[in-house]
Amino acid sequence: MKCIPKGQTASELAIFGAILIFVLGLIIRMALNFNYAQNQALGAMRLAFEQSFRSGTGGNASRMFSSILYIEDRKDADVSSSGRYLTSSRMPFVTSGAGAFTNNLFMPTQHDHPENLSIMDVFINGQHFTFTTAQFKTCNFVTGFCGSLPTPIIISDSAGCGNGPSGGAINCAKAYTRIVYGDDNFCSLNPFGCSPLATGDTRNTLEDRFNLDRNTLTQCAAVGCTAGMDVEPAQTDEFTWEWYAIPMTNSEIDFNDGKNTSLDVDGDLKEESIVRMVDTNNFTYTLKEPIPETIDWFVGDEGAEGYHNLVRSGAMFHAAFKEVTVIDQQEGDIDNTYDTRDRQNGKPQPGLKPESFLYVYGKPAGPGDTGTYLRVEEGKLFTPDTRQYVRQTRKQDSIEVIERQIQLSNDTGRMCNGSNPVEACCDAGSCCYSNDNVFKTCFDRSTKILHIRSKIEDRAKKKWVTDVSTDKNPFK
């Protein structure tokens, strides 16, 4: 009969026991993380529907299509022994949700109702931030300014603008739209070219349609390339889109029919939605509002909403617009239209940055049972008992500061006016890391970076007791 040493048996039991516990810990960890992720996704979806419902029943369209970004840093199930003594690890869970309350699906956004502009909701460790994805902007074709910036490309002439009340041709500004293959105005596959906008209109020539960046630089060197043209004439039929000039007159822009209400009016090569216009006679045209009855030459259905072509003595005449108000998708807190051209122009990509930072500040151990400490003691626990025990006590009393950064596209003023839980605003990047602001959620106006700092209190106490007496320990 072969005898197996007690030490070998104990070693095998210890090794296989450790493996079993490790595998069991991994299973528990995966199950916990899956539960967190599932709960996060369902929570984001419920929040999206709730936000859309609250917005819809409140009578505004800001969350007609609600978009939610949900981020939480949850404690991870640490299966390593080092987790007893080190700071607890955290697992970030990032998910998004969307929902629509269709009661206000076709509700228009008028120029004097900023509360109807689209809002994106971001929840980070319990903090709720709202970001606009568009903004109103007024472009004046007389002064040449869109908002506070000059409009780069405004064409003002009489070509294609029509005749005014006196019968003579009028001058008007022109904006651009992108037309795609299959559109009635698509030119590149039409052997006869684009039909003119009106008699005498010399716009929408080949070089005008294929001046893709709409500047005076020519990016093609083939025969037939003229000033500003970026596509070789032989390749124009391979393009699926091109520019098309639209005169800014009441005959070319119609709210009732949705005609040309989305145009690039500020020259940034991206289209804006027109919601209000003022013509050279100082008459205002807005969505869902009729022309004032005081216009003596107005004829037609006076009860109809919107506006109509103006007629005097049986002959149609046109009114040119000198000012338009638009919804600009590039002027909100977050520009969701960011593209390669923006990146090449040096604009930072908006949204949640990939970096995150975790700072742990522990309270020093103090008298009694306070603070953060690890205490190891060995000795007898009971007076009559002669066995030896090792007691390990870990007390955690700390604050974890988790920093995440969101790059904004514009400083709209909403970060510092109380609309969001921002605790400090700075004009220089170092200010957000000063002693006064290092723990605060801080917005840096110079870089347009929002530093979101979540302060999570971590209090826990764990105690292990191990009998190390010789008669109980097989290794002694």
Side-chain angles (χ1 to χ4, degrees):
M1 182 176 178
K2 185 177 180 181
C3 296
I4 300 176
K6 293 183 178 180
Q8 180 181 348
T9 304
S11 299
E12 292 174 353
L13 289 175
I15 292 172
F16 286 110
I19 294 174
L20 178 63
I21 293 174
F22 180 76
V23 172
L24 182 61
L26 287 179
I27 295 174
I28 294 174
R29 183 177 187 177
M30 293 177 61
L32 183 63
N33 290 344
F34 176 80
N35 179 66
Y36 281 159
Q38 185 182 48
N39 181 68
Q40 196 90 340
L42 294 175
M45 183 186 66
R46 289 191 294 266
L47 273 173
F49 281 117
E50 179 185 357
Q51 293 290 337
S52 185
F53 174 77
R54 290 180 181 273
S55 175
T57 54
N60 70 69
S62 61
R63 295 177 177 86
M64 184 185 305
F65 294 97
S66 180
S67 176
I68 299 288
L69 178 63
Y70 202 68
I71 304 173
E72 278 195 356
D73 295 282
R74 297 289 189 94
K75 271 191 173 182
D76 193 12
D78 197 339
V79 297
S80 64
S81 60
S82 61
R84 296 182 180 182
Y85 314 112
L86 303 178
T87 58
S88 59
S89 60
R90 290 189 176 270
M91 177 72 71
F93 290 90
V94 182
T95 188
S96 60
F101 183 67
T102 57
N103 188 47
N104 295 330
L105 188 61
F106 298 104
M107 180 178 179
T109 302
Q110 298 184 9
H111 71 283
D112 53 351
H113 291 278
E115 70 277 5
N116 287 333
L117 292 172
S118 298
I119 290 288
M120 176 182 179
D121 295 277
V122 177
F123 293 83
I124 298 181
N125 292 323
Q127 298 185 77
H128 181 194
F129 297 87
T130 59
F131 303 103
T132 58
T133 58
Q135 193 64 267
F136 288 117
K137 184 167 68 175
T138 298
C139 296
N140 191 302
F141 303 123
V142 177
T143 63
F145 274 79
C146 265
S148 59
L149 299 175
T151 1
I153 303 174
I154 290 295
I155 305 170
S156 182
D157 57 23
S158 60
C161 298
N163 298 324
S166 61
I170 60 174
N171 290 332
C172 68
K174 289 183 176 66
Y176 283 85
T177 184
R178 291 187 182 187
I179 56 175
V180 297
Y181 177 76
D183 191 285
D184 292 339
N185 292 323
F186 194 76
C187 307
S188 60
L189 297 183
N190 186 346
F192 302 101
C194 284
S195 58
L197 297 177
T199 302
D201 187 3
T202 58
R203 295 293 168 184
N204 290 318
T205 58
L206 192 67
E207 58 268 23
D208 194 48
R209 296 181 340 243
F210 289 98
N211 183 0
L212 301 184
D213 49 12
R214 301 217 300 273
N215 58 26
T216 58
L217 299 177
T218 303
Q219 298 183 21
C220 64
V223 177
C225 290
T226 56
M229 193 169 177
D230 300 323
V231 181
E232 296 181 7
Q235 297 178 346
T236 55
D237 59 349
E238 299 177 5
F239 268 66
T240 58
W241 70 273
E242 56 197 37
W243 291 115
Y244 196 70
I246 303 294
M248 300 297 289
T249 65
N250 63 342
S251 63
E252 293 296 331
I253 302 176
D254 192 337
F255 284 135
N256 287 337
D257 298 331
K259 178 183 178 182
N260 296 327
T261 57
S262 180
L263 300 172
D264 178 16
V265 300
D266 59 2
D268 63 354
L269 308 185
K270 297 178 182 180
E271 297 182 6
E272 292 78 38
S273 300
I274 300 175
V275 294
R276 172 181 171 269
M277 300 167 290
V278 179
D279 66 21
T280 52
N281 299 312
N282 291 322
F283 293 121
T284 300
Y285 305 75
T286 57
L287 190 63
K288 295 293 184 182
E289 292 183 10
I291 289 182
E293 296 180 4
T294 54
I295 303 178
D296 57 358
W297 30 261
F298 172 81
V299 296
D301 184 5
E302 296 184 3
E305 293 181 336
Y307 69 92
H308 302 270
N309 292 324
L310 306 179
V311 179
R312 172 179 274 176
S313 303
M316 180 188 299
F317 69 92
H318 305 137
F321 296 125
K322 67 177 182 180
E323 182 180 283
V324 295
T325 300
V326 299
I327 298 177
D328 195 332
Q329 304 293 333
Q330 294 80 51
E331 296 295 329
D333 297 318
I334 299 289
D335 176 11
N336 288 326
T337 66
Y338 183 88
D339 55 20
T340 303
R341 184 173 181 272
D342 294 324
R343 178 176 57 81
Q344 292 174 346
N345 289 335
K347 294 183 179 180
Q349 183 173 359
L352 183 68
K353 297 176 74 67
E355 301 87 0
S356 62
F357 306 92
L358 173 63
Y359 308 95
V360 180
Y361 297 87
K363 182 179 180 181
D369 193 26
T370 62
T372 301
Y373 59 85
L374 172 63
R375 181 182 301 157
V376 181
E377 299 174 310
E378 182 175 354
K380 298 180 177 60
L381 283 179
F382 310 102
T383 303
D385 196 349
T386 60
R387 287 178 293 179
Q388 289 285 105
Y389 296 91
V390 173
R391 302 181 295 278
Q392 298 178 353
T393 305
R394 172 179 169 266
K395 176 69 180 297
Q396 187 80 16
D397 189 357
S398 62
I399 293 180
E400 297 181 2
V401 180
I402 304 172
E403 178 181 341
R404 295 189 179 276
Q405 299 176 357
I406 294 181
Q407 175 70 59
L408 302 188
S409 302
N410 303 286
D411 181 7
T412 62
R414 296 183 67 257
M415 295 302 107
C416 303
N417 65 358
S419 301
N420 286 280
V422 177
E423 301 168 292
C425 288
C426 296
D427 295 324
S430 59
C431 177
C432 282
Y433 290 95
S434 65
N435 291 334
D436 294 333
N437 299 327
V438 70
F439 297 129
K440 298 178 181 178
T441 294
C442 180
F443 178 60
D444 181 2
R445 290 193 178 98
S446 61
T447 60
K448 301 182 183 65
I449 294 179
L450 178 62
H451 302 264
I452 300 176
R453 287 156 180 155
S454 306
K455 296 175 280 291
I456 303 175
E457 189 177 35
D458 187 7
R459 287 186 175 181
K461 186 176 182 179
K462 297 179 181 179
K463 189 172 184 178
W464 294 268
V465 179
T466 305
D467 188 349
V468 295
S469 301
T470 304
D471 58 336
K472 296 292 183 179
N473 192 336
F475 295 100
K476 291 188 177 181

